[in-house]
Amino acid sequence: MTSAEATAHYFKKAARIMDVGERIETLLASPLREVKVQVSIELDNGEIRTFNGYRVQHDNARGPMKGGLRYHPLVDADEVLSLASLMTWKTAVVNLPFGGAKGGITVDPTGLSTKELERLTRKFVDQIQDIIGPTRDIPAPDVNTNPQVMAWIMDQYSKYHGHSPAVVTGKPIDLYGSRGREAATGRGLLYIAREIARDVGLPVKGTRFAIQGFGNVGSHAARLIHEDGGIIVAVSDVNGGVRNPKGLDVPALFDHARKSGSVKGFQGGNPCGNEELLTCDCDVLVPAALGNVITKSVAAEVRAKIVIEGANAPCTPEADEVFEKKGVLVVPDILANAGGVTVSYFEWVQNLQHVTWDEDRVNTELEKLMREAYDRVANISRTRKLPLRTSAYVLAIGRVGKATVLRGI
């Protein structure tokens, strides 16, 4: 099952429970626009290279479209379409005035110099500048992109349209970014973990967490959960992992990762691979790397009682079925990792109003919206006896569908 097929599967499951009808189902599932561009740049050695760039704009019924931009060798039209759709439902779950979009370039950024990445980014903006903007479509960081890439996008877009800091979010603090944005996805995940802990009687303090992925989401989640009293028993990144049943020294792990570029080789535990981490002995598993890492066969071996999706689409539909049979509680990506887009919304608001919030306000507002979203989803789950994922889609489809009808078809 492809990424787009998996997203469509979840959408259709919820839409049919809601009985929205085949025509409305088709209307809500179909993307507004799909763009593919050829991005050619001159490398530092004088060689010419051409890369494929994508931007899929899924839905704008609730407001301008919003979604990340990733640089990865596996980026393709199917993946971007799937993630754009996920963004539509994610922004609706947390009740942001946005629709969904996603973009990417098929490239291994580790093979390019900083200057080559800058040229690639600016040429990509040249190709899509007429379809993005503060009131149209607002990109943000994603896999292998960061505040510096967002700064290049803002600058290049502004050359066409005048000073426009609100065209992207996730910018550097010194260039109209928001305080709290870097840790937002991990912090939002902590707030969801607290709500789940309250509901199932498993407080964060003393609970054992395993986190696959030590990028922006996984590293901040590990740090914040550790500060909240959680025990981090295993972490991993693309190079490998480390585990310790008694708990890892997270500050020391951060120091090691900062110096070496990876958690691999950390002396405070035993080495472990990524798949080994997914099936290790823990209470809560947080897949926070790439999608489709938990398949049916992996799910059968997962020992965690709770899975909180830090990444986008880390569990396949077949894995979901296994978890449901095993009684494993899965908190879906469109709820669990919505902290990033929520603080991106705060950044957009600050840019439009030409104001700056302090970090305490950002975090307070984030916690409020994440708790409200969880309470809505959990209430649907309890009253309709549905999994949390299906409940989140029911909430999102209801909001997007109502906006679509009210605006006129």
Side-chain angles (χ1 to χ4, degrees), residues 110-395:
T110 62
L112 298 181
S113 70
T114 300
K115 286 297 182 183
E116 289 167 340
L117 278 174
E118 180 177 354
R119 287 196 290 272
L120 180 66
T121 301
R122 290 181 182 275
K123 286 295 287 288
F124 183 57
V125 174
D126 289 343
Q127 302 262 33
I128 66 167
Q129 53 83 22
D130 57 334
I131 63 166
I132 63 173
T135 60
R136 288 185 175 184
D137 178 3
I138 306 132
D142 203 277
V143 176
N144 293 327
T145 57
N146 56 26
Q148 177 60 76
V149 174
M150 298 304 109
W152 293 330
I153 293 173
M154 187 204 90
D155 182 69
Q156 193 68 11
Y157 179 86
S158 295
K159 290 178 180 179
Y160 290 93
H161 302 278
H163 183 60
S164 306
V167 67
V168 288
T169 57
K171 300 180 295 295
I173 295 295
D174 292 333
L175 204 65
Y176 313 102
S178 175
R179 292 177 175 84
R181 173 61 184 86
E182 184 180 349
T185 308
R187 188 175 295 278
L189 194 148
L190 168 67
Y191 294 150
I192 292 298
R194 287 176 179 172
E195 297 304 297
I196 287 288
R198 182 197 65 199
D199 275 4
V200 303
L202 190 70
V204 172
K205 186 175 183 179
T207 293
R208 300 168 303 154
F209 290 78
I211 301 176
Q212 187 206 35
F214 206 68
N216 177 270
V217 179
S219 62
H220 285 293
R223 174 180 63 83
L224 293 164
I225 290 169
H226 172 75
E227 291 174 1
D228 222 42
I231 300 170
I232 309 299
V233 297
V235 297
S236 67
D237 58 29
V238 67
N239 298 306
V242 60
R243 65 176 181 170
N244 185 336
K246 295 181 180 179
L248 295 164
D249 183 340
V250 174
L253 177 65
F254 259 79
D255 188 54
H256 170 82
R258 184 173 57 253
K259 292 177 179 176
S260 69
S262 173
V263 300
K264 185 179 180 180
F266 179 62
Q267 297 301 305
N270 298 317
C272 73
N274 272 289
E275 189 161 324
E276 185 182 357
L277 179 143
L278 294 172
T279 59
C280 75
D281 186 17
C282 62
D283 300 310
V284 181
L285 173 63
V286 182
L290 294 173
N292 299 318
V293 295
I294 302 182
T295 60
K296 180 179 180 180
S297 59
V298 172
E301 302 298 322
V302 167
R303 289 189 273 178
K305 304 177 184 73
I306 300 169
V307 175
I308 303 178
E309 294 186 331
N312 288 319
C315 299
T316 66
E318 295 84 2
D320 251 13
E321 292 175 6
V322 172
F323 285 142
E324 196 167 344
K325 290 176 183 176
K326 290 173 63 175
V328 175
L329 182 64
V330 179
V331 187
D333 47 6
I334 60 173
L335 171 61
N337 69 26
V341 71
T342 301
V343 176
S344 278
Y345 164 62
F346 298 158
E347 181 176 333
W348 178 72
V349 167
Q350 293 170 75
N351 293 162
L352 292 178
Q353 296 181 346
H354 305 285
V355 298
T356 300
W357 296 0
D358 61 38
E359 189 166 349
D360 285 344
R361 179 177 178 184
V362 170
N363 293 339
T364 298
E365 295 289 343
L366 172 62
E367 182 172 14
K368 176 184 175 183
L369 289 186
M370 294 299 290
R371 291 184 64 177
E372 287 177 355
Y374 175 80
D375 287 344
R376 292 272 188 145
V377 172
N379 184 58
I380 293 171
S381 178
R382 283 190 296 269
T383 57
R384 304 187 67 166
K385 295 181 171 50
L386 297 171
L388 288 177
R389 189 187 308 280
T390 306
S391 301
Y393 273 87
V394 166
L395 175 62

